[in-house]
């Protein structure tokens, strides 16, 4: 059964320097507050994994938490680039950032392989691209039945996966719905997992559209209302589009970013 913990305790216990850390969420249910707690606790040399890194990954990279990024698309959705990400890649500030780039399908297949206990996944993607010349984590494999040459991608097995969901019960069973991505697979592939939720309830309401993670596959659950803001949590709050637009100006300048990080994350008013 998953343990109910506070957010700071969960991050302190589960996320360690040098870990491979996945913070997954697809357009909503993005674990923003958990990512900021990782920054507050000063984690370093992390390999960050996510199918679609957006502004929380920009913050983690700009804060110096990451040395490597495994991803398939990165940007400030609906706005533009991730400027702290670009600064790390182009200028090594605040630290150099190694990249392991894949397609969405490649990332999803890697998570599925990890969740299935397999060493790699096989797919038809990447044919005709030059990624084979740039990424050592791509190979080809010949089907023993048809002779077809396919792409092989190694399994993703994070040390810890962090996701956000709408609710959990007191036994640690987690329920999420709406536009979900690879959260389930990312949790199942990981050695440890932390799920932040909007609320804990006595009984999960039956929902035919919901994804349920049983408490025995989750390490810990933390109640963090608003934990996905400025992304959204369906049926709880909407996406804060102004915050995404504002991030573009904040993140373009190192001094503006450093000031924002200090006042909003490291030493927020009222903390």
């Amino acid at each position: 059964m998953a343990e109910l913990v506070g957010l700071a305790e969960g991050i302190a216990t589960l996320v360690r320097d040098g870990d491979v850390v996945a913070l997954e969420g697809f357009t909503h249910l993005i674990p923003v507050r958990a990512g900021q707690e990782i920054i507050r606790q000063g984690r370093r040399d992390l390999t960050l994994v996510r199918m679609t890194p957006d502004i929380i990954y920009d913050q983690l990279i700009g804060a110096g938490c990451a040395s490597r990024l495994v991803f398939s698309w990165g940007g400030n959705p609906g706005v533009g680039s991730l400027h702290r990400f670009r600064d790390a890649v182009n200028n090594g500030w605040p630290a150099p950032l190694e990249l392991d780039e894949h397609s969405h399908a490649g990332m999803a297949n890697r998570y599925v392989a990890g969740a299935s206990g397999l060493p790699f996944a096989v797919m038809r993607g990447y044919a005709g691209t030059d990624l084979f010349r740039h990424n050592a984590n791509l190979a080809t494999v010949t089907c023993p039945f048809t002779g077809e040459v396919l792409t092989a991608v190694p399994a993703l097995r994070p040390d810890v996966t962090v996701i956000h969901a709408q609710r959990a019960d007191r036994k640690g069973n987690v329920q999420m719905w709406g536009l979900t991505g690879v959260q389930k697979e990312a949790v199942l592939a990981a050695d440890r997992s932390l799920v932040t939720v909007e609320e804990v309830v006595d009984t999960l309401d039956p929902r035919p559209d919901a994804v349920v993670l049983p408490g025995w596959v989750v390490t810990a659950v933390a109640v963090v209302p608003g934990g996905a803001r400025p992304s959204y949590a369906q049926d709880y709050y909407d996406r804060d589009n102004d915050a995404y637009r504002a991030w573009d100006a904040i993140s373009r300048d190192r001094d503006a970013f450093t000031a924002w990080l200090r006042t909003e994350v490291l030493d927020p008013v009222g903390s």
Side-chain angles (χ1 to χ4, degrees):
M1 185 174 75
E3 182 181 4
L4 295 178
V5 300
L7 176 59
E9 177 190 356
I11 295 299
T13 302
L14 298 175
V15 182
R16 304 154 191 171
D17 288 352
D19 272 353
V20 178
V21 182
L23 290 89
E24 277 295 348
F26 194 73
T27 75
H28 84 141
L29 298 177
I30 297 168
V32 175
R33 295 295 173 266
Q36 291 176 344
E37 184 61 31
I38 291 172
I39 294 172
R40 274 190 289 273
Q41 296 195 17
R43 294 295 180 268
R44 291 292 182 267
D45 194 30
L46 301 178
T47 294
L48 294 179
V49 182
R50 187 166 158 205
M51 185 177 286
T52 54
D54 65 353
I55 66 175
I56 184 56
Y57 272 47
D58 215 24
Q59 294 166 18
L60 285 156
I61 292 166
C65 298
S67 60
R68 188 166 181 260
L69 179 66
V70 182
F71 73 114
S72 54
W73 174 92
N76 184 343
V79 180
S81 292
L82 297 176
H83 301 292
R84 294 302 89 223
F85 174 17
R86 291 177 67 93
D87 202 6
V89 172
N90 293 335
N91 304 305
W93 192 93
L97 186 68
E98 180 185 348
L99 301 182
D100 181 2
E101 185 177 1
H102 291 267
S103 68
H104 280 3
M107 288 290 290
N109 274 281
R110 294 187 69 188
Y111 275 128
V112 170
S116 303
L118 296 172
F120 65 92
V122 177
M123 53 186 291
R124 286 195 170 91
Y126 299 106
T129 75
D130 64 352
L131 278 174
F132 286 95
R133 293 194 292 109
H134 300 284
N135 191 331
N137 282 320
L138 296 177
T140 59
V141 61
T142 301
C143 174
F145 304 105
T146 66
E148 182 180 3
V149 177
L150 301 166
T151 300
V153 289
L156 267 175
R157 294 191 181 92
D159 294 305
V160 57
T161 288
V162 182
I163 64 170
H164 189 73
Q166 281 96 339
R167 61 170 70 118
D169 66 17
R170 301 191 187 283
K171 294 181 180 179
N173 300 304
V174 173
Q175 189 178 46
M176 69 181 77
W177 61 88
L179 184 59
T180 55
V182 293
Q183 291 100 313
K184 177 182 71 174
E185 291 80 4
V187 167
L188 295 176
D191 290 338
R192 308 180 296 276
S193 58
L194 172 66
V195 182
T196 60
V197 296
E198 293 295 320
E199 61 176 336
V200 167
V201 297
D202 292 327
T203 304
L204 298 179
D205 295 333
R207 292 183 62 112
D209 61 334
V211 173
V212 176
L213 286 167
W216 58 269
V217 304
V218 176
T219 308
V221 172
V223 180
V224 186
R229 286 191 173 106
S231 74
Y232 70 98
Q234 185 168 316
D235 296 328
Y236 285 80
Y237 44 85
D238 294 332
R239 188 180 193 267
D240 185 351
N241 292 315
D242 289 341
Y244 284 89
R245 286 190 287 265
W247 182 251
D248 187 69
I250 294 166
S251 62
R252 282 179 182 271
D253 180 78
R254 292 178 185 176
D255 291 338
F257 166 74
T258 301
W260 177 90
L261 190 67
R262 182 175 61 253
T263 59
E264 299 298 326
V265 178
L266 299 177
D267 189 24
V269 175
S271 62

